[in-house]
Amino acid sequence: MRTCESAGVGQTPIADNTVLCDVLVVGSGSAALSAALSAAVAGLSVLIVEKAATLGGTSAMSGGAVWVPANHHALSQGVKDSPTEALAYLRATAPEGWHTTEDRLWQQFADSAPEMLHFLEAHTPLRFELTPEADPLMAFVGAKAFGRMLTPAPLRAKVLGKGRWPLRPSPLPQIYTYQEVIREDIYHHPLRVAVKLAPRLLWRWLSGTRTKGAALITGLLAGCLAQGCRVETSARVLDLITDDHGAVTGAWYSHHGSLTRVVADRGVVLASGGFEWDALRRAAHFPGPFDAISSPRTNEGDGHRMAQAVGARLAHMDQANISGSLPTRYEGQPYGLSVFFQYEPNAILVNRHGVRFTNEFAFNLGEALDEREGAAQLPRQLPAWLIADARVLWRAPLLLGYALRRRGWMRAARTPTALALKLGLDPATLEQTLQRFNGFCSRGIDEDFHRHRDGGHGQGDRRFHAGMMKITRAPFIAVPFNRSFLATKGGPRTDEFGRVIHLDGHAIPGLFCAGVAMANPIGTRGVGAGTTLGPNLTWGYICGRTLAGDVAPRSEPSITSLALSAITIKALS
């Protein structure tokens, strides 16, 4: 096993120092660490460079759920699933026309995802558990009622050794597991659940146990450290380095005012997240109103910019994880908390005309919010509003709490007409919309959007209050429900091996891309609650595997040796 070697080059006027390694990974989220681990296990030296002072990116802030079809946990419980069935599901649920460009990537993902999950459990302390959730698009061929959704089990921070490895904090408590969140209905009964789980929660706090996305990143990082990966934080990669033939041979990064040149013998993996915090690029691809951004401010499209500079082809730039959000602050700045507060029986969504435009329980609600029209491709429905009555406030204390913290966010009025006037909507139209919905409630059938069928994705999730309740009790309330960006999903086009494609169609030697930084083959339309993390991990794994080429893999270490190796590596670094 080789480790990254660094040597000062104080005589050069260009760089303060040079770092030599086989693989440079830009970013430290799930895709980045999966790529680093895959390459390192195969015997390559890996340098991970993270722009922020903390590790994990959006993945560390997340619920940690992963969508992995045909995984070994499901098969061991008798679930009949296969890559062939997963591929059929991906093909059936994809947007029209995507088959032409994405089918080879879908095939690669379907074949590689089960292998990736087994690989992670073999080379990290991570252990995954099945959740009770079904595929949300059950009407399509290849869907499964159980077995494709998993989450990492709680993991103690001590697996990282004695060194300080700060993870990006989440705006939501990371002391609850994903399983507890969906089974105990924390959103509607936070105090009751906290009391019920108090001994368990106290032990996690005392023992430094992490859950959800924090557990996922902790386990991935522990595996990377055990394999000799070097990690640099507060380091921004500025530009890629190419040779005379256009091959990527390294990159420049800045760290505390020092400029470092990285020579990467095998290549560079761009896994730096989305471009949602790049205002100009976001406005170009997502024109029109939005409420908030729900990712770290470091997601400024660095990977996109650098790939474009060396001739990469970009694709799917209009795709993103989009939802509604609650207004809050994170790291002292405005932030949108992405939670499913529209899952209430006495709440509907109306568009800029006061007309209901979607099934509020639809899994892919982001597509409805981002529906475009006209030559300018402006959002067709926005600005949109969530409309409810007074009962939603005692049903959803989380909603009430955020309304009290952010004055002016929630509007209220004694009548629908008065509320419409406050929102700038036509009073007669809003009245008609409410009357129509209330009529559906009386009959128990949503004739417009079939919400009475619950959208097909609420199985096992007590956050999901299926059904319909009339909106009749004053005061009537409204809150903004426009697009909030959790992550953009467009970027450099790659082939099925993770290699970035040049504008002229050839693969750029030495350049790879994974995660939401790539032109993601599963865009805005998700296929499961873990659509982002499951594919992110898989594409990172594929990049590392491709970079390794014919390098022979090492034997699999035990979990104990992983922890001990991490401690030793940190002590020596």
Side-chain angles (χ1 to χ4, degrees), residues 7 11 26 70 167 227-228 261 271 307 352 354 366 375 389 395 414 416 437-438 441 527 534 566 570:
Q11 301 303 312
V26 184
L167 267 58
Q227 298 295 337
R261 176 174 176 260
R352 57 195 171 104
D389 66 15
R395 290 181 61 87
R414 299 300 302 174
F437 178 75
N438 290 340
C441 293
V527 296
K570 181 58 182 173

Side-chain angles (χ1 to χ4, degrees), residues 3 41 133 144 262 275 327 337 356 379 420 485 573:
T3 58
V41 167
E133 296 161 289
K144 294 293 177 182
V262 180
F275 63 84
L337 187 63
R356 186 167 172 246
F485 297 101
S573 63

Side-chain angles (χ1 to χ4, degrees), residues 411-551:
R411 281 75 155 179
R414 299 300 302 174
T415 66
T417 295
L419 184 63
L421 292 173
K422 284 190 174 184
L423 303 179
L425 302 176
D426 177 61
T429 301
L430 185 59
E431 284 272 14
Q432 184 179 12
T433 297
L434 289 173
Q435 289 174 9
R436 184 170 178 81
F437 178 75
N438 290 340
F440 294 160
C441 293
S442 297
R443 296 189 292 276
I445 298 176
D446 178 3
E447 296 176 8
D448 289 339
F449 301 107
H450 311 293
R451 196 171 99 179
H452 60 286
R453 298 176 185 170
D454 88 9
H457 65 286
Q459 178 178 320
D461 190 342
R462 294 189 61 195
R463 296 173 297 178
F464 194 99
H465 282 199
M468 300 183 294
M469 180 187 295
K470 292 182 179 180
I471 303 172
T472 57
R473 186 172 300 176
F476 298 88
I477 66 169
V479 296
F481 204 96
N482 299 303
R483 299 174 300 184
S484 287
F485 297 101
L486 187 59
T488 56
K489 299 186 78 173
R493 163 67 72 186
T494 67
D495 65 11
E496 67 270 32
F497 304 107
R499 301 178 299 186
V500 173
I501 303 301
H502 193 274
L503 286 168
D504 65 11
H506 78 270
I508 299 175
L511 187 59
F512 299 76
C513 193
V516 295
M518 69 189 288
N520 205 285
I522 306 176
T524 301
R525 184 178 302 173
V527 296
T531 295
T532 302
L533 289 179
N536 282 4
L537 290 165
T538 304
W539 287 109
Y541 170 74
I542 290 167
C543 287
R545 187 176 63 187
T546 305
L547 277 157
D550 59 356
V551 179

Side-chain angles (χ1 to χ4, degrees), residues 16-359:
D16 297 299
N17 57 81
T18 294
V19 174
L20 310 176
C21 59
D22 293 319
V23 177
L24 169 64
V25 177
V26 184
S28 66
S30 56
L33 295 183
S34 180
L37 180 67
S38 178
V41 167
L44 302 181
S45 64
V46 179
L47 171 63
I48 301 165
V49 177
E50 167 58 49
K51 180 164 65 173
T54 53
L55 296 164
T58 311
S59 299
M61 304 165 67
S62 73
V66 299
W67 189 79
V68 181
N71 65 80
H72 59 282
H73 290 287
L75 299 181
S76 69
Q77 294 192 27
V79 175
K80 295 182 184 295
D81 196 7
S82 67
T84 300
E85 291 173 281
L87 179 59
Y89 180 62
L90 290 169
R91 286 171 171 169
T93 57
E96 184 177 356
W98 280 46
H99 181 275
T100 304
T101 57
E102 309 307 320
D103 198 62
R104 288 191 301 176
L105 280 77
W106 293 336
Q107 292 181 50
Q108 181 73 280
F109 167 77
D111 289 337
S112 301
E115 181 183 315
M116 174 276 299
L117 196 76
H118 189 273
F119 172 84
L120 293 188
E121 291 196 333
H123 295 283
T124 77
L126 285 168
R127 294 295 176 267
F128 290 87
E129 304 169 340
L130 292 170
T131 80
E133 296 161 289
D135 283 342
L137 308 177
M138 284 298 295
F140 291 90
V141 64
K144 294 293 177 182
F146 171 71
R148 289 176 173 171
M149 275 293 298
L150 307 99
T151 58
L155 194 60
R156 296 176 71 174
K158 72 176 185 179
V159 299
L160 295 174
K162 296 180 180 179
R164 177 171 172 78
W165 298 102
L167 267 58
R168 176 168 289 280
S170 172
L172 285 172
Q174 291 284 47
I175 199 168
Y176 293 100
T177 67
Y178 180 89
Q179 305 272 22
E180 289 163 351
V181 169
I182 65 173
R183 287 173 173 162
E184 301 292 344
D185 197 11
I186 294 169
Y187 291 138
H188 291 95
H189 307 286
L191 294 178
R192 186 181 74 186
V193 174
V195 171
K196 176 183 177 181
L197 302 181
R200 191 183 307 173
L201 301 179
L202 179 61
W203 168 248
R204 287 178 190 156
W205 180 71
L206 292 173
S207 61
T209 298
R210 294 167 173 171
T211 64
K212 296 187 285 190
L216 178 65
I217 294 300
T218 296
L220 289 170
L221 183 59
C224 288
L225 294 174
Q227 298 295 337
C229 297
R230 178 179 168 185
V231 181
E232 195 78 77
T233 58
S234 300
R236 183 170 190 169
V237 180
L238 303 172
D239 285 298
L240 298 173
I241 300 171
T242 57
D243 63 16
D244 293 339
H245 304 287
V248 173
T249 59
W252 298 94
Y253 74 83
S254 174
H255 176 65
H256 297 313
S258 175
L259 185 63
T260 296
R261 176 174 176 260
V262 180
V263 177
D265 288 343
R266 291 295 182 101
V268 176
V269 180
L270 300 175
S272 51
F275 63 84
E276 57 272 11
W277 283 102
D278 179 344
L280 290 176
R281 199 183 290 268
R282 185 191 64 241
H285 298 288
F286 296 91
F290 74 98
D291 281 342
I293 299 176
S294 303
S295 67
R297 287 178 175 266
T298 48
N299 286 14
E300 299 173 294
D302 289 354
H304 303 71
R305 172 183 51 78
M306 290 187 289
Q308 238 180 333
V310 297
R313 177 186 301 169
L314 303 188
H316 297 332
M317 295 296 283
D318 61 349
Q319 301 293 298
N321 283 349
I322 294 171
S323 68
S325 67
L326 298 175
T328 186
R329 296 183 72 81
Y330 177 72
E331 297 183 330
Q333 300 291 331
Y335 177 83
L337 187 63
S338 179
V339 296
F340 305 120
F341 65 96
Q342 77 276 11
Y343 287 173
E344 299 297 334
N346 57 329
I348 61 172
L349 295 176
V350 303
N351 64 14
R352 57 195 171 104
H353 304 296
V355 176
R356 186 167 172 246
F357 64 96
T358 187
N359 173 4

